[in-house]
Amino acid sequence: MKTKSPLVFLACVLACLFLAGCQANDGVTPEDTFGSLLKLVPSDPTDNGSFGLSVAVDGAYALVGAPGEDGNGTNSGAAYLFLQSQGGLDGWGQVKKLIASDADDEDVFGVSVAISGDYALIGAEGEDGSGSERGAAYLFYRNQGGADNWGEVKKIVASDAANDDTLGYSVAIDGDYLVVGADGEDGAGTIRGAAYLFYRNQGGADNWGQLFKLTADDAVDNNRFGYRVDIKGDFVLVGSPYSAGAGTNRGAAYLFYRNQGGADNWGQFRKILPSDPADNVWFGSALSIDGDVLVVGAAWDDSGGTNRGAAYLFYRNQGGADNWGQLKKLVASDAHDDDFFGFDVKVDGDYVLAGALFSGGGGTERGQVYLFSKNEGGTDNWGEAQRLRASDGENQDWFGSSIALDGSYLLAGATGEDGAGTNRGACYVFRKI
């Protein structure tokens, strides 16, 4: 499996889905523990719906993508919004099914999701626009169309949209800014990739207009910059997993700062690389930033075997002020070949999550999620504190294919979970005890 790229790998995952929680400590003494709360499924589950391929949580709301949902055409996609208090304290009941206003076949709306405050952002990388697979993202507002209605307020497209850009393959939102990745964008070559930054009041009040097109300062063909994006405060983080470096598909992540190169310029600030680069690890295929810490996944990293996976932790002032140096390489304590640890990663406060969707988890490819805590094993040690599994895990559930964390709540998607059919998908909610 070593030669299978992230793009081909995910395409295979999607093909399988479209066509076809309890906690385990295992001797680890956690500083804090997240306990299993409940399992989320959509109100209208369908076979191969891929519910749980993308997840997000912010405050009292959780958002789960189902890009294989067929309600408005084959693989047109949907996203489901859940509220913590719906159905009682910690009921996390479904409050809305979100679909695009112009939904069509193969849009795969829900391939990426993000939520911040009163806004939900959903990517549809297969949306054609006026061409073919130009891509789009859709923004929903809590009170659009009525109190708590969560209506669509804007279809986000690039100012220079072109065929096969796949805008919306990745999305992120924080406050008044949102960023959307277009890893197929050609730039001055072929599939160099780009990320587009939008601001809430650009071009008018609540207009959500395009502010900047972000690209790597060392862009090269086939790098797929924009494969993953995240934004927090004054920083945007963009993954480019096909970046070759001094080898092949070593990968990189790029950090942009709001005032780099001038006030509100959002210029490139740092290129993030691991301390031990290696060929075909696709560093940057997953990433997350929060405050002074960022984490980058490399699920194809061998780490003493084959495709065991790793996640790299960077700190803003490591090695000097604003240096963003590597703090630690995180690996699973029970690593096995082809676990793909780091397929998705998340940092929130003093915690880092890493999903290993192909980890055995007590069977075959059931999946596990690993929780690392800042002071576990010593001050600033970032040690493994807990391993999480689905309470009803079965083979090929792929628990951990997507993960999210905000405060006391942790989400893990399991896109291969069958339910009462085949690959309907599920999302598991855990709460900090």
Side-chain angles (χ1 to χ4, degrees):
M1 297 178 74
K2 187 61 182 178
T3 59
K4 187 177 287 185
S5 72
L7 191 66
V8 173
F9 180 84
L10 187 55
C12 291
V13 171
L14 290 171
C16 289
L17 295 172
F18 292 167
L19 301 176
C22 69
Q23 120 333 279
N25 279 328
D26 298 334
V28 178
T29 302
E31 178 186 77
D32 296 300
T33 299
F34 282 79
S36 178
L37 187 61
L38 73 162
K39 175 181 178 180
L40 304 181
V41 294
S43 57
D44 57 350
T46 58
D47 290 350
N48 306 309
S50 193
F51 178 88
L53 183 67
S54 57
V55 299
V57 60
D58 184 58
Y61 287 95
L63 185 62
V64 184
E69 203 270 345
D70 295 329
N72 291 274
T74 303
N75 299 332
S76 54
Y80 296 81
L81 190 67
F82 298 84
L83 176 62
Q84 177 192 358
S85 60
Q86 185 73 9
L89 181 64
D90 279 336
W92 288 100
Q94 181 181 317
V95 292
K96 189 76 183 269
K97 177 181 180 180
L98 306 179
I99 56 174
S101 56
D102 58 352
D104 203 356
D105 291 348
E106 309 302 337
D107 280 355
V108 290
F109 173 95
V111 70
S112 58
V113 299
I115 188 166
S116 176
D118 292 335
Y119 289 93
L121 182 64
I122 301 158
E125 51 119 352
E127 203 275 335
D128 288 329
S130 58
S132 175
E133 294 187 4
R134 297 189 169 193
Y138 296 79
L139 187 66
F140 294 79
Y141 174 58
R142 179 175 176 177
N143 296 318
Q144 180 72 8
D148 296 322
N149 183 63
W150 289 94
E152 183 183 318
V153 293
K154 185 84 183 246
K155 179 180 180 180
I156 305 293
V157 295
S159 59
D160 59 349
N163 293 345
D164 302 314
D165 278 358
T166 62
L167 180 85
Y169 190 74
S170 57
V171 299
I173 184 170
D174 184 47
D176 292 336
Y177 293 91
L178 65 86
V179 59
V180 186
D183 67 322
E185 201 272 342
D186 287 329
T190 302
I191 316 179
R192 295 189 171 192
Y196 294 82
L197 184 68
F198 295 80
Y199 174 58
R200 179 175 176 176
N201 296 317
Q202 180 72 6
D206 295 323
N207 183 62
W208 292 95
Q210 183 177 314
L211 195 61
F212 282 102
K213 178 181 179 179
L214 307 179
T215 58
D217 64 4
D218 58 352
V220 177
D221 290 353
N222 301 307
N223 273 3
R224 292 194 176 274
F225 175 96
Y227 185 92
R228 286 290 178 266
V229 297
D230 199 11
I231 182 170
K232 193 70 173 181
D234 292 336
F235 291 96
V236 170
L237 185 62
V238 184
S240 181
Y242 288 72
S243 176
T248 303
N249 299 324
R250 295 189 168 191
Y254 294 80
L255 189 65
F256 294 80
Y257 174 56
R258 179 175 178 175
N259 296 318
Q260 180 71 10
D264 295 322
N265 184 64
W266 291 94
Q268 184 177 315
F269 189 64
R270 291 284 185 273
K271 181 177 180 179
I272 307 294
L273 297 170
S275 59
D276 58 348
D279 291 349
N280 300 315
V281 299
W282 288 285
F283 175 90
S285 54
L287 49 75
S288 176
I289 184 170
D290 186 49
D292 293 336
V293 178
L294 66 85
V295 60
V296 182
W300 284 257
D301 180 86
D302 288 333
S303 297
T306 302
N307 298 332
R308 295 190 170 193
Y312 293 80
L313 195 63
F314 296 82
Y315 175 59
R316 181 173 182 172
N317 296 317
Q318 180 73 8
D322 293 322
N323 184 63
W324 290 95
Q326 184 176 316
L327 195 62
K328 190 166 186 179
K329 180 179 181 179
L330 306 178
V331 296
S333 59
D334 60 346
H336 294 90
D337 290 351
D338 298 319
D339 277 356
F340 293 97
F341 171 98
F343 186 79
D344 197 10
V345 296
K346 181 69 176 179
V347 57
D348 183 72
D350 291 342
Y351 298 102
V352 169
L353 292 179
L357 77 170
F358 278 5
S359 174
T364 303
E365 296 180 9
R366 295 188 175 192
Q368 295 188 126
V369 171
Y370 296 77
L371 176 72
F372 295 82
S373 181
K374 180 178 180 178
N375 296 317
E376 181 69 25
T379 303
D380 294 326
N381 183 62
W382 290 98
E384 183 184 312
Q386 195 176 3
R387 288 189 290 277
L388 302 156
R389 298 176 181 174
S391 55
D392 59 350
E394 295 183 348
N395 295 344
Q396 285 83 47
D397 274 358
W398 301 346
F399 173 89
S401 49
S402 61
I403 50 180
L405 177 64
D406 184 53
S408 297
Y409 294 95
L410 184 161
L411 271 61
T415 59
E417 204 273 340
D418 289 327
T422 302
N423 295 329
R424 296 189 169 190
C427 176
Y428 294 82
V429 181
F430 297 79
R431 182 181 60 191
K432 187 176 178 181
I433 299 173

